[in-house]
Amino acid sequence: MSGRRTALRIALLLAALALGLAALVWRLNHLDEAPASTEGTAPPTPALLERGAYLARVGNCAGCHTARGGPPYAGGRAIATPFGAVFAPNLTPDAATGLGGWSRADFWAALHNGRGRDGRLLSPAFPYPNYALLSRADADALFAYLQSLTPVAQPNLPSQLRFPYNTQLSLAVWRALYFRPAVFEPDARRGAEWNRGAYLSQGLAHCSACHATRNGLGAGGTADFSGGLLAGSGWLAPSLHDPAEAGVMDWSPAALRQWLAHGSNAALASAQGPMAEVILGSTRHLNEADLAAMAQYLQALPRRPVERPEPAEPQPLLRELGRRLYGEHCAACHGQQGEGVAGAYPPLAGSRVVTMASPGNLLLIIQRGGFAPATAGHPRPFGMPPFAGVLDDRQLAALASYLRNSWGHQAGDVRLLDVVQLKSRRID
């Protein structure tokens, strides 16, 4: 008899826990903290549309919501995630396939609470944890600009998320665990410029969408910039907390502003890969005040060194092969000592891309080539040709090993297995 009572108590306890969890999921996914709209019913003013256009560029909205070769903002670009691909939707004001039937409140619910117009929960591949920080005034201005675009009839594509990640229940549980809608709250201990930089970096510019370290369910903090692997591409967004990776604490403010605005600076770095796209579509459009604010915020990030793996056993024969390959393919541009050519070819000696804990980005640049963004301050950047069809996997490992252990570098060798693993996590 006592055994039955114990089993009944356990069953009742489990039922209570299940009901409590369900109530918690429901409660956290039906919060409505939306402040009132700041935009009236009158037609948007030119100033409002100009502000919205600026915000759209800061957020690089067209970067995700434009398919390659397709109409701007009409959607269709695949966004890779560890759980399958999602496709960016149509943001033009087409009534049937875009935002034509949306209201400001609908748009705010999507940005602030991750909900579609029909009330369905949106995948956090759309970085609403970042966009939730936007002020209602900025959300209204952005919506007004999108509504001013030329409508494009382009149906949205269904996601390719695997089960159970494609279910509303899994999204509700994820949100209950990791998401709270809340607009940006300035830090009273910091000045106005730092707070503006934090608002931009954590919010609309959504830097952490790439640079956060994510857990097994894809969750990361909006103010975490510890570095993360970009699903499906093989690129690593390096840590902004570590000066040996991508931290800018030791740069001058002028050098950082130049890099954000133009994708390169005189002595320190040249943007490559996905970051070149971000600069081309977003940060080069920042006005001087916002450039200074973002620079101040990024330079004030706490220092946290990335844990480096134990170096592989040195392979002298591999490095010697790499030395010969460097002389044959690289030295003419980058110099015998990796010194580069100012204004043309970046130096490899002292390059953080070369010496990062992970060799992944270096291998990708060797394979795919290096292409800095063309900007007003750097209108004709020199490109580096890809070597994927020239060097085999062993040669790639050899060349990378030579670069990581020359000119004072002690970054360790690259194994053939590293090259193979990098290719296995890419979707070309």
Side-chain angles (χ1 to χ4, degrees), residues 303-325:
R303 292 174 181 257
R304 290 198 294 268
V306 170
E307 183 177 350
R308 302 183 71 92
E310 287 293 324
E313 189 71 22
Q315 303 176 71
L317 293 179
L318 194 70
R319 294 184 191 182
E320 174 58 23
L321 172 60
R323 185 190 66 78
R324 295 198 303 270
L325 291 169

Side-chain angles (χ1 to χ4, degrees), residues 121-313:
L121 304 178
L122 302 177
S123 165
F126 170 63
Y128 59 81
N130 299 90
Y131 296 155
L133 301 180
L134 263 68
S135 69
R136 185 62 193 263
D138 279 352
D140 286 347
L142 181 57
F143 180 70
Y145 169 69
L146 294 175
Q147 291 294 97
S148 74
L149 299 173
T150 300
V152 177
Q154 180 162 291
N156 295 313
L157 300 173
S159 81
Q160 296 176 352
L161 294 173
R162 300 185 298 277
F163 180 84
Y165 309 108
N166 59 348
T167 67
Q168 288 287 289
L169 178 59
S170 67
L171 288 174
V173 171
W174 187 93
R175 289 159 58 94
L177 292 171
Y178 304 118
F179 174 65
R180 302 292 185 276
V183 295
F184 178 78
E185 292 291 340
D187 187 339
R189 300 167 298 176
R190 301 281 192 165
E193 189 173 59
W194 182 95
N195 275 296
R196 176 64 177 173
Y199 174 74
L200 293 169
S201 302
Q202 295 178 21
L204 190 57
H206 59 286
C207 304
S208 66
C210 290
H211 286 280
T213 298
R214 299 190 177 275
N215 65 19
L217 293 177
T222 58
D224 174 25
F225 308 106
S226 300
L229 183 68
L230 305 186
S233 72
W235 289 99
L236 175 72
S239 172
L240 300 180
H241 294 285
D242 186 351
E245 296 271 314
V248 291
M249 301 81 173
D250 299 329
W251 291 19
S252 71
L256 178 53
R257 291 196 301 271
Q258 183 184 26
W259 188 80
L260 289 171
H262 304 304
S264 64
N265 54 33
L268 296 169
S270 176
Q272 303 288 332
M275 193 62 212
E277 293 185 36
V278 171
I279 287 174
L280 190 64
S282 175
T283 60
R284 74 183 177 101
H285 298 289
L286 290 168
N287 60 39
E288 289 299 323
D290 283 347
L291 268 176
M294 185 176 284
Q296 183 180 128
Y297 173 74
L298 294 175
Q299 292 195 294
L301 290 175
R303 292 174 181 257
R304 290 198 294 268
V306 170
E307 183 177 350
R308 302 183 71 92
E310 287 293 324
E313 189 71 22

Side-chain angles (χ1 to χ4, degrees), residues 30-173:
H30 289 79
L31 294 174
D32 185 7
E33 303 175 2
S37 173
T38 59
E39 184 186 344
T41 57
T45 64
L48 184 70
L49 294 178
E50 182 179 356
R51 177 182 175 192
Y54 175 74
L55 294 170
R57 289 191 291 268
V58 172
N60 194 19
C61 302
C64 285
H65 289 272
T66 304
R68 182 172 296 179
Y73 296 99
R77 179 172 179 175
I79 309 299
T81 82
F83 318 107
V86 297
F87 295 88
N90 186 346
L91 297 185
T92 73
D94 180 69
T97 64
L99 304 184
W102 285 47
S103 67
R104 293 189 301 276
D106 295 332
F107 188 68
W108 170 261
L111 292 182
H112 181 71
N113 206 15
R115 286 187 175 277
R117 186 186 176 208
D118 58 1
R120 289 177 63 81
L121 304 178
L122 302 177
S123 165
F126 170 63
Y128 59 81
N130 299 90
Y131 296 155
L133 301 180
L134 263 68
S135 69
R136 185 62 193 263
D138 279 352
D140 286 347
L142 181 57
F143 180 70
Y145 169 69
L146 294 175
Q147 291 294 97
S148 74
L149 299 173
T150 300
V152 177
Q154 180 162 291
N156 295 313
L157 300 173
S159 81
Q160 296 176 352
L161 294 173
R162 300 185 298 277
F163 180 84
Y165 309 108
N166 59 348
T167 67
Q168 288 287 289
L169 178 59
S170 67
L171 288 174
V173 171

